């Protein structure tokens, strides 16, 4: 959402300073991303990189053997886990753990409830992945939809940490006006969490897909064509999570124009989404292991 520069300037300067102070992603995470982005990389090469960080290796193995993936037999070898899940999936697991490690500090949450924030984030990730399955996204790419959904609201963290009193005003305004929180943030700050999420993604040199998902999920029509499906699905997952009332007090009306626009753009209808409800709730329970492992 656009805002007048004069209104946003004092807030934006403070937020940029906050983002500049964020630690870089771990050396291991950066090396994993570099390795995975090389089309010539093999599971053995990725195993060597992740193996340098015993904690990270343990996280990947624990998640691989959890109910989230429901494998028929336990996997004790990291190389085997990489082969079973695929290099792209492991890349997204490592990325999500690295980012959660940086931002799951409860001191970052002053106006927002950390528990509700991560509950909503997890649900959006699960719903985005479920929608991607319905839309025929390849298995190797589905985890990216989950992780983008999981991380879509990261821009809220600097706003609520740096300006808790003003953020309470924005939350109250969103609730009273039954408008999206991003709209209320723009009214109060002259900037919204999508813009800030994009800045965080750029700071960590995340892929264009993540920059688009974090920065454009409230304005998916602003996303670039290469990542438009991803952004629209994350936006729809965000809306559906609100309708299910999972971890958020934001208002979402199924009859509004934006909802219809998202449904049409993604290529699903309300009955299809509501048919997912029980599956989504069950998958959210399985996916909670993500947050447990990252603590």
């Amino acid at each position: 959402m656009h805002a007048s520069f004069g209104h946003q300037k004092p807030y934006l300067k403070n937020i940029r300073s906050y983002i500049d102070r964020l630690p870089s992603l771990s050396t291991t995470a950066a090396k994993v991303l570099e390795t995975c982005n090389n089309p010539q990389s093999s599971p053995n090469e990725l195993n060597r990189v992740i193996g340098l960080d015993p904690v990270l290796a343990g996280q990947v193995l624990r998640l691989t053997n959890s109910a989230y993936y429901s494998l028929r037999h336990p996997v004790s070898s990291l190389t085997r886990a990489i082969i079973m899940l695929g290099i792209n999936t492991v890349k997204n697991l490592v990325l999500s753990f690295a980012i959660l490690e940086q931002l799951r500090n409860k001191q970052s949450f002053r106006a927002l409830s950390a528990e509700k924030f991560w509950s909503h984030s997890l649900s959006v990730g699960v719903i985005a992945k479920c929608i991607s399955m319905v839309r025929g996204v390849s298995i190797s790419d589905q985890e990216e939809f989950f992780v983008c959904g999981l991380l879509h609201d990261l821009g809220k963290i600097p706003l609520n940490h740096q300006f808790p009193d003003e953020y309470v005003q924005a939350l109250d305004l969103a609730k009273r006006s039954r408008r999206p929180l991003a709209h209320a943030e723009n009214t109060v700050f002259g900037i919204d969490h999508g813009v800030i999420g994009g800045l965080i993604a750029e700071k960590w040199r995340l892929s264009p897909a993540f920059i688009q998902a974090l920065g454009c999920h409230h304005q998916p029509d602003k996303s670039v064509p290469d990542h438009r499906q991803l952004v629209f699905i994350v936006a729809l997952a965000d809306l559906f999570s609100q309708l299910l009332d999972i971890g958020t007090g934001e208002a979402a009306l199924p009859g509004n124009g934006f909802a219809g626009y998202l449904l049409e753009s993604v290529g699903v209808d309300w009955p299809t989404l509501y048919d997912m409800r029980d599956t989504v709730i069950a998958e959210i329970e399985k996916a909670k292991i993500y947050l447990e492992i990252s603590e």
Side-chain angles (χ1 to χ4, degrees):
M1 293 186 175
H2 297 288
S4 65
F5 183 74
H7 184 195
Q8 70 173 212
K9 188 174 181 180
Y11 295 108
L12 185 57
K13 181 178 179 181
N14 190 303
I15 292 299
R16 284 189 180 278
S17 176
Y18 177 97
I19 293 173
D20 287 342
R21 294 194 304 271
L22 286 174
S24 299
L25 296 182
S26 70
T27 302
T28 304
K31 186 64 176 175
V32 165
L33 296 181
E34 179 185 336
T35 303
C36 291
N37 289 332
N38 179 356
Q40 305 302 318
S41 294
S42 68
N44 281 331
E45 289 175 273
L46 185 55
N47 172 60
R48 283 195 291 271
V49 174
I50 297 176
L52 296 173
D53 186 334
V55 173
L56 182 59
Q59 288 175 325
V60 172
L61 279 174
R62 185 178 170 196
L63 184 62
T64 303
N65 288 308
S66 73
Y68 181 71
Y69 285 111
S70 301
L71 299 181
R72 300 177 73 177
H73 302 290
V75 176
S76 57
S77 159
L78 184 57
T79 301
R80 181 64 179 161
I82 295 168
I83 293 171
M84 293 284 290
L85 300 181
I87 286 178
N88 195 48
T89 294
V90 173
K91 175 187 75 174
N92 285 306
L93 300 188
V94 170
L95 179 62
S96 62
F97 286 139
I99 292 174
L100 291 173
E101 180 184 3
Q102 297 288 2
L103 295 176
R104 286 208 66 200
N105 186 340
K106 290 189 177 180
Q107 293 179 353
S108 297
F109 292 85
R110 302 172 70 183
L112 288 172
S113 159
E115 182 179 354
K116 289 183 178 180
F117 176 87
W118 290 114
S119 177
H120 170 66
S121 299
L122 192 67
S123 74
V124 173
V126 168
I127 295 168
K129 184 176 180 179
C130 288
I131 295 174
S132 75
M133 294 169 65
V134 169
R135 295 302 300 140
V137 172
S138 66
I139 293 176
S140 64
D141 289 334
Q142 288 172 10
E143 206 66 34
E144 186 167 61
F145 284 75
F146 171 80
V147 177
C148 282
L150 176 68
L151 304 177
H152 77 289
D153 270 349
L154 290 188
K156 292 179 178 178
I157 294 177
L159 272 178
N160 102 92
H161 179 268
Q162 296 296 96
F163 312 107
D165 294 338
E166 292 92 334
Y167 210 75
V168 168
Q169 295 175 27
L171 290 167
D172 183 60
L173 177 60
K175 187 174 183 179
R176 286 187 289 105
S177 64
R178 296 182 64 78
R179 300 290 298 275
L181 179 57
H183 184 274
E185 289 169 345
N186 257 306
T187 300
V188 174
F189 299 104
I191 193 171
D192 64 65
H193 66 269
V195 174
I196 296 168
L199 293 175
I200 295 174
E202 290 173 0
K203 150 80 176 181
W204 282 329
R205 299 180 182 178
L206 304 186
S207 71
F210 281 89
I211 293 172
Q212 292 289 303
L214 270 65
C216 298
H217 63 277
H218 284 291
Q219 287 186 305
D221 56 318
K222 303 290 186 184
S223 58
V224 300
D226 285 352
H227 304 294
R228 188 154 291 184
Q229 182 189 44
L230 170 66
V231 176
F232 269 94
I233 285 179
V234 169
L236 182 59
D238 187 20
L239 182 66
F240 191 49
S241 174
Q242 294 170 37
L243 288 171
L244 295 177
D245 195 23
I246 301 176
T248 177
E250 293 185 50
L253 303 177
N256 68 26
F258 185 57
Y261 173 56
L262 292 178
L263 290 166
E264 182 178 358
S265 299
V266 171
V268 297
D269 53 22
W270 282 121
T272 300
L273 280 187
Y274 279 105
D275 283 348
M276 293 181 188
R277 185 180 183 279
D278 290 344
T279 299
V280 162
I281 291 173
E283 289 299 313
I284 289 171
E285 284 302 311
K286 292 180 183 178
K288 286 180 179 177
I289 188 69
Y290 251 97
L291 301 184
E292 293 172 13
I293 289 173
S294 69
E295 286 182 339

